[in-house]
Amino acid sequence: GDFPLNTDRVTSRGITESESGMWQPLASWTYRSAIEWQVAAGATPIEGDVSATWQGRLGAASRGQSAGWDIALLRTPVSESLLSWTGAKGYADVDGSRVIFPFTWGRVTRNGVETSGYTRASDDWTLSGSLRVASYRGKNVPDNTGGQFYGLAERHVGDSASGSWSAGPYIYLAAFEDNLGKFTPGHGGYFSPSWLVGSGLASRFRAQSSASAWYFEARASAGYQRHKEDAADLIPDSGLEQQFLAATGLQASDLGSYGSNNEAGFAGSLELEGLRRIGQTRWHWGGYLRGRVSPEFDNYAAMLVLRFGSDAQHHEIRRQFSEPFRLID
């Protein structure tokens, strides 16, 4: 993205093409008793402009027909952009010469706690919710704190030979301490509004077979979203700013800033997810497709998964191989 510099000496600016490896190893182990214990450990994507770091999860869960809950400590990569996921380096063309910045930044991790639960309110209605509070940390990126809440009242619509349908209203809330969502040095490249509220309707179709060990799920939502992003410094870290000025020969007065932003409008999402056992082995293959439109940006992603483990893999692709995805990462 462009840097809002207030000087004619800079003719172009941006982030160099990141040579990023997308292999992101993660191993998980689950022990099932009265309480289900979950442990996962691995690394953020291997290679990239910023060195890989570790990720992991330690959690417990209890799931029944009428109610359930889970809680976990986590450290996960933020994959909204290559900057947040693997890190980047940047440049500026100053007086006709390209200056590569003498530092890299990015590769942000989310470090905190998340909890969720559900309860059967009646034969047809289920209430569920999830809450996540975390600090966000990256190389040469100031620390940030944020939280998200998602609540859903879901009505069972009906069953068919192919699967079951459910739908209902949702509400989504989010807030961050600082706006670090830009791509200039020191920013993390992840959406971090000062506040966000969204509401609408969500639906889900689910089909699975215990006999042949496969499942498929489709989720869609449509609603209205409003958010505000606070004003932010062009380079939020004073140390990086001094290095930037020294490398480019600019003055602090040459640097602009980002203004506050308040947007509202339609927000919708579509997700497809599935997993299937390969023959009679313990290997499974699957995939994940998602798309989103919203006032702040559109987002599309696809992922293929090869997994070794037991057949009890339902709903673990999204949790372990990609960002939890509602209307926002």
Short mmCIF file of all heavy atoms in Angstrom, two decimals, residues 260-316:
data_model
loop_
_atom_site.label_atom_id
_atom_site.label_comp_id
_atom_site.label_asym_id
_atom_site.label_seq_id
_atom_site.Cartn_x
_atom_site.Cartn_y
_atom_site.Cartn_z
N SER A 260 -8.84 9.34 10.96
CA SER A 260 -9.84 8.40 11.47
C SER A 260 -10.80 8.01 10.35
O SER A 260 -10.94 8.73 9.35
CB SER A 260 -10.60 9.02 12.64
OG SER A 260 -11.28 10.19 12.22
N ASN A 261 -11.45 6.90 10.53
CA ASN A 261 -12.30 6.35 9.48
C ASN A 261 -13.54 5.74 10.10
O ASN A 261 -13.45 4.98 11.08
CB ASN A 261 -11.52 5.29 8.68
CG ASN A 261 -12.35 4.70 7.56
OD1 ASN A 261 -13.04 5.42 6.86
ND2 ASN A 261 -12.28 3.39 7.40
N ASN A 262 -14.69 6.06 9.56
CA ASN A 262 -15.96 5.55 10.08
C ASN A 262 -16.76 5.03 8.89
O ASN A 262 -17.14 5.81 8.01
CB ASN A 262 -16.72 6.66 10.81
CG ASN A 262 -17.82 6.10 11.71
OD1 ASN A 262 -18.44 5.10 11.38
ND2 ASN A 262 -18.06 6.77 12.82
N GLU A 263 -17.00 3.70 8.84
CA GLU A 263 -17.69 3.11 7.70
C GLU A 263 -18.83 2.23 8.15
O GLU A 263 -18.82 1.67 9.25
CB GLU A 263 -16.71 2.29 6.86
CG GLU A 263 -15.66 3.10 6.13
CD GLU A 263 -14.80 2.23 5.24
OE1 GLU A 263 -13.99 1.46 5.79
OE2 GLU A 263 -14.94 2.32 4.00
N ALA A 264 -19.82 2.09 7.28
CA ALA A 264 -20.96 1.23 7.56
C ALA A 264 -21.51 0.69 6.25
O ALA A 264 -21.34 1.31 5.19
CB ALA A 264 -22.05 1.99 8.32
N GLY A 265 -22.16 -0.47 6.31
CA GLY A 265 -22.75 -1.03 5.11
C GLY A 265 -22.97 -2.52 5.22
O GLY A 265 -22.90 -3.11 6.31
N PHE A 266 -23.22 -3.15 4.08
CA PHE A 266 -23.52 -4.58 4.02
C PHE A 266 -22.27 -5.40 4.33
O PHE A 266 -21.16 -5.06 3.92
CB PHE A 266 -24.03 -4.95 2.63
CG PHE A 266 -24.19 -6.43 2.42
CD1 PHE A 266 -25.30 -7.11 2.90
CD2 PHE A 266 -23.21 -7.16 1.74
CE1 PHE A 266 -25.44 -8.47 2.71
CE2 PHE A 266 -23.35 -8.52 1.54
CZ PHE A 266 -24.47 -9.18 2.03
N ALA A 267 -22.46 -6.49 5.06
CA ALA A 267 -21.39 -7.44 5.33
C ALA A 267 -21.95 -8.85 5.18
O ALA A 267 -23.00 -9.18 5.75
CB ALA A 267 -20.83 -7.25 6.73
N GLY A 268 -21.27 -9.66 4.40
CA GLY A 268 -21.73 -11.03 4.18
C GLY A 268 -20.57 -11.99 4.04
O GLY A 268 -19.45 -11.58 3.72
N SER A 269 -20.81 -13.26 4.29
CA SER A 269 -19.75 -14.26 4.20
C SER A 269 -20.32 -15.58 3.71
O SER A 269 -21.50 -15.87 3.86
CB SER A 269 -19.07 -14.46 5.56
OG SER A 269 -19.98 -15.04 6.49
N LEU A 270 -19.43 -16.39 3.11
CA LEU A 270 -19.76 -17.74 2.68
C LEU A 270 -18.55 -18.62 2.95
O LEU A 270 -17.43 -18.27 2.56
CB LEU A 270 -20.12 -17.78 1.20
CG LEU A 270 -20.35 -19.18 0.60
CD1 LEU A 270 -21.58 -19.84 1.24
CD2 LEU A 270 -20.51 -19.10 -0.91
N GLU A 271 -18.77 -19.75 3.62
CA GLU A 271 -17.70 -20.70 3.94
C GLU A 271 -18.11 -22.11 3.54
O GLU A 271 -19.25 -22.51 3.77
CB GLU A 271 -17.41 -20.70 5.44
CG GLU A 271 -16.92 -19.40 6.01
CD GLU A 271 -16.83 -19.50 7.52
OE1 GLU A 271 -17.85 -19.27 8.19
OE2 GLU A 271 -15.74 -19.85 8.02
N LEU A 272 -17.17 -22.87 2.99
CA LEU A 272 -17.36 -24.28 2.67
C LEU A 272 -16.21 -25.04 3.30
O LEU A 272 -15.04 -24.66 3.14
CB LEU A 272 -17.38 -24.51 1.16
CG LEU A 272 -18.42 -23.71 0.36
CD1 LEU A 272 -18.23 -23.97 -1.12
CD2 LEU A 272 -19.83 -24.05 0.80
N GLU A 273 -16.51 -26.13 3.99
CA GLU A 273 -15.48 -26.87 4.72
C GLU A 273 -15.80 -28.35 4.68
O GLU A 273 -16.97 -28.75 4.79
CB GLU A 273 -15.45 -26.37 6.17
CG GLU A 273 -14.56 -27.14 7.11
CD GLU A 273 -14.70 -26.60 8.53
OE1 GLU A 273 -14.68 -25.38 8.72
OE2 GLU A 273 -14.84 -27.42 9.45
N GLY A 274 -14.78 -29.19 4.51
CA GLY A 274 -15.04 -30.62 4.49
C GLY A 274 -13.80 -31.43 4.79
O GLY A 274 -12.66 -30.95 4.65
N LEU A 275 -14.01 -32.67 5.21
CA LEU A 275 -12.91 -33.58 5.53
C LEU A 275 -13.38 -35.01 5.25
O LEU A 275 -14.52 -35.35 5.55
CB LEU A 275 -12.50 -33.43 6.99
CG LEU A 275 -11.16 -34.02 7.39
CD1 LEU A 275 -10.03 -33.18 6.80
CD2 LEU A 275 -11.02 -34.07 8.90
N ARG A 276 -12.49 -35.85 4.70
CA ARG A 276 -12.86 -37.23 4.39
C ARG A 276 -11.66 -38.16 4.60
O ARG A 276 -10.54 -37.80 4.27
CB ARG A 276 -13.33 -37.35 2.93
CG ARG A 276 -13.87 -38.72 2.57
CD ARG A 276 -14.27 -38.77 1.11
NE ARG A 276 -14.90 -40.06 0.79
CZ ARG A 276 -16.20 -40.29 0.81
NH1 ARG A 276 -17.03 -39.30 1.14
NH2 ARG A 276 -16.70 -41.47 0.50
N ARG A 277 -11.93 -39.34 5.16
CA ARG A 277 -10.88 -40.33 5.37
C ARG A 277 -10.46 -40.94 4.04
O ARG A 277 -11.28 -41.15 3.15
CB ARG A 277 -11.35 -41.42 6.31
CG ARG A 277 -10.23 -42.39 6.72
CD ARG A 277 -10.70 -43.33 7.80
NE ARG A 277 -11.77 -44.21 7.34
CZ ARG A 277 -12.47 -45.00 8.13
NH1 ARG A 277 -12.25 -44.99 9.43
NH2 ARG A 277 -13.41 -45.77 7.65
N ILE A 278 -9.16 -41.22 3.90
CA ILE A 278 -8.62 -41.84 2.70
C ILE A 278 -8.62 -43.35 2.89
O ILE A 278 -7.80 -43.89 3.65
CB ILE A 278 -7.20 -41.34 2.41
CG1 ILE A 278 -7.21 -39.82 2.21
CG2 ILE A 278 -6.63 -42.02 1.18
CD1 ILE A 278 -5.83 -39.23 2.04
N GLY A 279 -9.57 -44.01 2.24
CA GLY A 279 -9.67 -45.47 2.34
C GLY A 279 -9.88 -45.93 3.77
O GLY A 279 -10.68 -45.37 4.51
N GLN A 280 -9.10 -46.93 4.20
CA GLN A 280 -9.19 -47.46 5.56
C GLN A 280 -8.01 -46.99 6.41
O GLN A 280 -7.78 -47.52 7.49
CB GLN A 280 -9.21 -48.99 5.52
CG GLN A 280 -10.39 -49.56 4.76
CD GLN A 280 -11.73 -49.10 5.35
OE1 GLN A 280 -11.93 -49.15 6.57
NE2 GLN A 280 -12.63 -48.64 4.49
N THR A 281 -7.29 -46.00 5.93
CA THR A 281 -6.14 -45.49 6.67
C THR A 281 -6.59 -44.45 7.69
O THR A 281 -7.78 -44.13 7.80
CB THR A 281 -5.13 -44.84 5.71
OG1 THR A 281 -5.68 -43.61 5.22
CG2 THR A 281 -4.83 -45.76 4.54
N ARG A 282 -5.63 -43.90 8.44
CA ARG A 282 -5.93 -42.82 9.37
C ARG A 282 -5.62 -41.45 8.77
O ARG A 282 -5.65 -40.45 9.45
CB ARG A 282 -5.14 -43.01 10.68
CG ARG A 282 -5.48 -44.32 11.40
CD ARG A 282 -4.87 -44.39 12.77
NE ARG A 282 -5.46 -43.42 13.66
CZ ARG A 282 -5.07 -43.22 14.92
NH1 ARG A 282 -4.08 -43.95 15.42
NH2 ARG A 282 -5.65 -42.32 15.69
N TRP A 283 -5.34 -41.44 7.46
CA TRP A 283 -5.12 -40.18 6.76
C TRP A 283 -6.45 -39.62 6.29
O TRP A 283 -7.35 -40.36 5.90
CB TRP A 283 -4.19 -40.38 5.56
CG TRP A 283 -2.76 -40.59 5.95
CD1 TRP A 283 -2.11 -41.78 6.11
CD2 TRP A 283 -1.80 -39.57 6.26
NE1 TRP A 283 -0.80 -41.58 6.47
CE2 TRP A 283 -0.59 -40.22 6.58
CE3 TRP A 283 -1.84 -38.16 6.28
CZ2 TRP A 283 0.57 -39.52 6.92
CZ3 TRP A 283 -0.70 -37.46 6.62
CH2 TRP A 283 0.49 -38.14 6.94
N HIS A 284 -6.55 -38.29 6.35
CA HIS A 284 -7.74 -37.59 5.89
C HIS A 284 -7.32 -36.46 4.95
O HIS A 284 -6.25 -35.88 5.12
CB HIS A 284 -8.52 -36.98 7.06
CG HIS A 284 -8.99 -37.98 8.07
ND1 HIS A 284 -8.13 -38.66 8.92
CD2 HIS A 284 -10.24 -38.42 8.36
CE1 HIS A 284 -8.84 -39.47 9.69
NE2 HIS A 284 -10.11 -39.34 9.37
N TRP A 285 -8.17 -36.16 3.99
CA TRP A 285 -7.94 -35.00 3.15
C TRP A 285 -9.18 -34.12 3.20
O TRP A 285 -10.29 -34.58 3.42
CB TRP A 285 -7.61 -35.40 1.71
CG TRP A 285 -8.78 -35.97 0.93
CD1 TRP A 285 -9.21 -37.26 0.91
CD2 TRP A 285 -9.66 -35.23 0.09
NE1 TRP A 285 -10.31 -37.39 0.11
CE2 TRP A 285 -10.60 -36.15 -0.42
CE3 TRP A 285 -9.75 -33.89 -0.31
CZ2 TRP A 285 -11.62 -35.77 -1.30
CZ3 TRP A 285 -10.75 -33.50 -1.17
CH2 TRP A 285 -11.68 -34.44 -1.66
N GLY A 286 -8.98 -32.84 3.00
CA GLY A 286 -10.10 -31.93 3.07
C GLY A 286 -9.71 -30.55 2.56
O GLY A 286 -8.63 -30.33 2.01
N GLY A 287 -10.60 -29.61 2.78
CA GLY A 287 -10.36 -28.26 2.30
C GLY A 287 -11.27 -27.25 2.95
O GLY A 287 -12.21 -27.60 3.68
N TYR A 288 -10.97 -25.99 2.64
CA TYR A 288 -11.68 -24.89 3.26
C TYR A 288 -11.70 -23.74 2.25
O TYR A 288 -10.66 -23.33 1.73
CB TYR A 288 -10.94 -24.47 4.53
CG TYR A 288 -11.55 -23.31 5.28
CD1 TYR A 288 -12.59 -23.52 6.17
CD2 TYR A 288 -11.07 -22.02 5.11
CE1 TYR A 288 -13.15 -22.46 6.86
CE2 TYR A 288 -11.62 -20.96 5.81
CZ TYR A 288 -12.66 -21.19 6.68
OH TYR A 288 -13.21 -20.13 7.37
N LEU A 289 -12.89 -23.25 1.92
CA LEU A 289 -13.06 -22.09 1.05
C LEU A 289 -13.85 -21.03 1.80
O LEU A 289 -14.80 -21.37 2.52
CB LEU A 289 -13.81 -22.47 -0.23
CG LEU A 289 -13.16 -23.47 -1.19
CD1 LEU A 289 -14.14 -23.84 -2.28
CD2 LEU A 289 -11.88 -22.88 -1.78
N ARG A 290 -13.47 -19.78 1.62
CA ARG A 290 -14.23 -18.73 2.28
C ARG A 290 -14.20 -17.47 1.45
O ARG A 290 -13.25 -17.20 0.70
CB ARG A 290 -13.68 -18.44 3.67
CG ARG A 290 -12.35 -17.70 3.68
CD ARG A 290 -11.83 -17.52 5.09
NE ARG A 290 -10.65 -16.66 5.12
CZ ARG A 290 -9.90 -16.46 6.19
NH1 ARG A 290 -10.20 -17.07 7.31
NH2 ARG A 290 -8.86 -15.65 6.15
N GLY A 291 -15.25 -16.68 1.57
CA GLY A 291 -15.32 -15.39 0.92
C GLY A 291 -16.09 -14.43 1.80
O GLY A 291 -17.01 -14.82 2.52
N ARG A 292 -15.71 -13.17 1.74
CA ARG A 292 -16.37 -12.16 2.57
C ARG A 292 -16.38 -10.83 1.85
O ARG A 292 -15.42 -10.47 1.18
CB ARG A 292 -15.63 -12.01 3.89
CG ARG A 292 -16.16 -10.85 4.74
CD ARG A 292 -15.31 -10.62 5.97
NE ARG A 292 -13.95 -10.28 5.61
CZ ARG A 292 -12.98 -10.12 6.50
NH1 ARG A 292 -13.22 -10.33 7.77
NH2 ARG A 292 -11.77 -9.78 6.10
N VAL A 293 -17.49 -10.13 1.97
CA VAL A 293 -17.56 -8.73 1.57
C VAL A 293 -17.99 -7.94 2.80
O VAL A 293 -18.83 -8.39 3.59
CB VAL A 293 -18.54 -8.52 0.40
CG1 VAL A 293 -18.04 -9.20 -0.85
CG2 VAL A 293 -19.94 -9.03 0.75
N SER A 294 -17.41 -6.76 2.98
CA SER A 294 -17.70 -5.94 4.14
C SER A 294 -17.29 -4.51 3.84
O SER A 294 -16.59 -4.25 2.86
CB SER A 294 -16.98 -6.47 5.38
OG SER A 294 -15.58 -6.45 5.17
N PRO A 295 -17.69 -3.54 4.67
CA PRO A 295 -17.33 -2.14 4.39
C PRO A 295 -15.84 -1.88 4.36
O PRO A 295 -15.38 -1.03 3.61
CB PRO A 295 -18.01 -1.38 5.54
CG PRO A 295 -19.14 -2.24 5.97
CD PRO A 295 -18.63 -3.65 5.80
N GLU A 296 -15.04 -2.61 5.18
CA GLU A 296 -13.61 -2.28 5.26
C GLU A 296 -12.81 -2.91 4.14
O GLU A 296 -11.93 -2.31 3.56
CB GLU A 296 -13.03 -2.64 6.63
CG GLU A 296 -12.85 -4.13 6.91
CD GLU A 296 -14.10 -4.81 7.40
OE1 GLU A 296 -15.18 -4.17 7.39
OE2 GLU A 296 -14.02 -5.98 7.80
N PHE A 297 -13.09 -4.18 3.78
CA PHE A 297 -12.40 -4.83 2.67
C PHE A 297 -13.07 -6.16 2.36
O PHE A 297 -13.82 -6.70 3.16
CB PHE A 297 -10.91 -5.05 2.98
CG PHE A 297 -10.65 -5.85 4.23
CD1 PHE A 297 -10.75 -7.24 4.23
CD2 PHE A 297 -10.29 -5.21 5.41
CE1 PHE A 297 -10.51 -7.97 5.37
CE2 PHE A 297 -10.04 -5.95 6.57
CZ PHE A 297 -10.15 -7.33 6.55
N ASP A 298 -12.79 -6.68 1.16
CA ASP A 298 -13.25 -8.00 0.77
C ASP A 298 -12.13 -9.00 1.01
O ASP A 298 -10.95 -8.65 0.95
CB ASP A 298 -13.65 -8.02 -0.71
CG ASP A 298 -14.78 -7.06 -1.01
OD1 ASP A 298 -15.54 -6.72 -0.08
OD2 ASP A 298 -14.90 -6.64 -2.18
N ASN A 299 -12.49 -10.24 1.26
CA ASN A 299 -11.49 -11.24 1.62
C ASN A 299 -11.90 -12.59 1.03
O ASN A 299 -13.04 -13.01 1.15
CB ASN A 299 -11.38 -11.33 3.15
CG ASN A 299 -10.37 -12.35 3.61
OD1 ASN A 299 -10.64 -13.55 3.60
ND2 ASN A 299 -9.21 -11.88 4.03
N TYR A 300 -10.93 -13.25 0.37
CA TYR A 300 -11.17 -14.57 -0.21
C TYR A 300 -9.99 -15.47 0.12
O TYR A 300 -8.84 -15.03 0.08
CB TYR A 300 -11.35 -14.48 -1.73
CG TYR A 300 -12.39 -13.46 -2.14
CD1 TYR A 300 -12.03 -12.16 -2.46
CD2 TYR A 300 -13.74 -13.80 -2.17
CE1 TYR A 300 -12.98 -11.22 -2.82
CE2 TYR A 300 -14.70 -12.87 -2.52
CZ TYR A 300 -14.31 -11.57 -2.84
OH TYR A 300 -15.25 -10.65 -3.18
N ALA A 301 -10.26 -16.72 0.44
CA ALA A 301 -9.17 -17.63 0.80
C ALA A 301 -9.57 -19.06 0.47
O ALA A 301 -10.75 -19.41 0.45
CB ALA A 301 -8.84 -17.50 2.29
N ALA A 302 -8.55 -19.89 0.23
CA ALA A 302 -8.74 -21.32 -0.02
C ALA A 302 -7.60 -22.07 0.64
O ALA A 302 -6.47 -21.59 0.68
CB ALA A 302 -8.78 -21.62 -1.51
N MET A 303 -7.89 -23.26 1.16
CA MET A 303 -6.87 -24.05 1.84
C MET A 303 -7.15 -25.53 1.64
O MET A 303 -8.30 -25.98 1.72
CB MET A 303 -6.86 -23.71 3.34
CG MET A 303 -5.76 -24.40 4.12
SD MET A 303 -5.70 -23.82 5.84
CE MET A 303 -5.18 -22.12 5.60
N LEU A 304 -6.09 -26.30 1.36
CA LEU A 304 -6.17 -27.75 1.30
C LEU A 304 -5.50 -28.34 2.53
O LEU A 304 -4.48 -27.82 3.00
CB LEU A 304 -5.49 -28.28 0.04
CG LEU A 304 -6.14 -27.90 -1.29
CD1 LEU A 304 -5.29 -28.42 -2.45
CD2 LEU A 304 -7.56 -28.44 -1.40
N VAL A 305 -6.05 -29.42 3.05
CA VAL A 305 -5.56 -30.01 4.30
C VAL A 305 -5.31 -31.50 4.10
O VAL A 305 -6.14 -32.21 3.54
CB VAL A 305 -6.59 -29.81 5.44
CG1 VAL A 305 -6.13 -30.54 6.69
CG2 VAL A 305 -6.79 -28.33 5.73
N LEU A 306 -4.15 -31.97 4.55
CA LEU A 306 -3.84 -33.39 4.64
C LEU A 306 -3.54 -33.67 6.10
O LEU A 306 -2.65 -33.06 6.68
CB LEU A 306 -2.64 -33.75 3.76
CG LEU A 306 -2.26 -35.24 3.74
CD1 LEU A 306 -3.39 -36.07 3.14
CD2 LEU A 306 -0.96 -35.44 2.97
N ARG A 307 -4.29 -34.60 6.69
CA ARG A 307 -4.25 -34.78 8.14
C ARG A 307 -4.16 -36.26 8.51
O ARG A 307 -4.78 -37.10 7.86
CB ARG A 307 -5.51 -34.15 8.76
CG ARG A 307 -5.52 -34.13 10.27
CD ARG A 307 -6.87 -33.59 10.74
NE ARG A 307 -6.90 -33.55 12.18
CZ ARG A 307 -6.64 -32.47 12.89
NH1 ARG A 307 -6.37 -31.34 12.30
NH2 ARG A 307 -6.69 -32.50 14.21
N PHE A 308 -3.38 -36.55 9.55
CA PHE A 308 -3.28 -37.91 10.07
C PHE A 308 -3.86 -37.91 11.48
O PHE A 308 -3.47 -37.10 12.32
CB PHE A 308 -1.82 -38.37 10.12
CG PHE A 308 -1.65 -39.77 10.68
CD1 PHE A 308 -1.84 -40.87 9.86
CD2 PHE A 308 -1.30 -39.96 12.01
CE1 PHE A 308 -1.69 -42.16 10.36
CE2 PHE A 308 -1.15 -41.24 12.52
CZ PHE A 308 -1.34 -42.34 11.69
N GLY A 309 -4.83 -38.82 11.73
CA GLY A 309 -5.43 -38.86 13.06
C GLY A 309 -6.67 -39.72 13.07
O GLY A 309 -6.94 -40.48 12.13
N SER A 310 -7.45 -39.61 14.12
CA SER A 310 -8.66 -40.42 14.27
C SER A 310 -9.78 -39.83 13.41
O SER A 310 -9.65 -38.78 12.82
CB SER A 310 -9.10 -40.44 15.74
OG SER A 310 -9.51 -39.16 16.16
N ASP A 311 -10.91 -40.54 13.37
CA ASP A 311 -12.05 -40.06 12.58
C ASP A 311 -12.78 -38.91 13.26
O ASP A 311 -13.56 -38.21 12.62
CB ASP A 311 -13.06 -41.20 12.37
CG ASP A 311 -12.51 -42.26 11.42
OD1 ASP A 311 -11.60 -41.92 10.65
OD2 ASP A 311 -12.98 -43.40 11.49
N ALA A 312 -12.56 -38.68 14.53
CA ALA A 312 -13.27 -37.63 15.27
C ALA A 312 -12.63 -36.28 14.97
O ALA A 312 -12.01 -35.67 15.83
CB ALA A 312 -13.26 -37.92 16.77
N GLN A 313 -12.77 -35.81 13.72
CA GLN A 313 -12.10 -34.60 13.27
C GLN A 313 -13.08 -33.46 12.99
O GLN A 313 -12.69 -32.44 12.47
CB GLN A 313 -11.30 -34.88 11.99
CG GLN A 313 -10.31 -36.02 12.12
CD GLN A 313 -9.15 -35.65 13.01
OE1 GLN A 313 -8.79 -34.50 13.11
NE2 GLN A 313 -8.58 -36.61 13.68
N HIS A 314 -14.33 -33.64 13.31
CA HIS A 314 -15.33 -32.67 12.90
C HIS A 314 -15.03 -31.29 13.48
O HIS A 314 -14.71 -31.13 14.65
CB HIS A 314 -16.73 -33.11 13.37
CG HIS A 314 -17.10 -34.46 12.84
ND1 HIS A 314 -16.72 -34.90 11.60
CD2 HIS A 314 -17.80 -35.46 13.39
CE1 HIS A 314 -17.19 -36.11 11.40
NE2 HIS A 314 -17.83 -36.49 12.48
N HIS A 315 -15.13 -30.28 12.61
CA HIS A 315 -15.01 -28.87 12.98
C HIS A 315 -13.61 -28.51 13.47
O HIS A 315 -13.45 -27.55 14.21
CB HIS A 315 -16.05 -28.48 14.03
CG HIS A 315 -17.40 -29.03 13.74
ND1 HIS A 315 -18.09 -28.71 12.59
CD2 HIS A 315 -18.17 -29.93 14.40
CE1 HIS A 315 -19.24 -29.37 12.59
NE2 HIS A 315 -19.31 -30.11 13.65
N GLU A 316 -12.61 -29.25 13.07
CA GLU A 316 -11.26 -28.92 13.51
C GLU A 316 -10.42 -28.25 12.42
O GLU A 316 -9.36 -27.75 12.69
CB GLU A 316 -10.54 -30.17 14.01
CG GLU A 316 -11.14 -30.69 15.31
CD GLU A 316 -10.30 -31.77 15.96
OE1 GLU A 316 -9.25 -32.10 15.38
OE2 GLU A 316 -10.68 -32.26 17.02
#
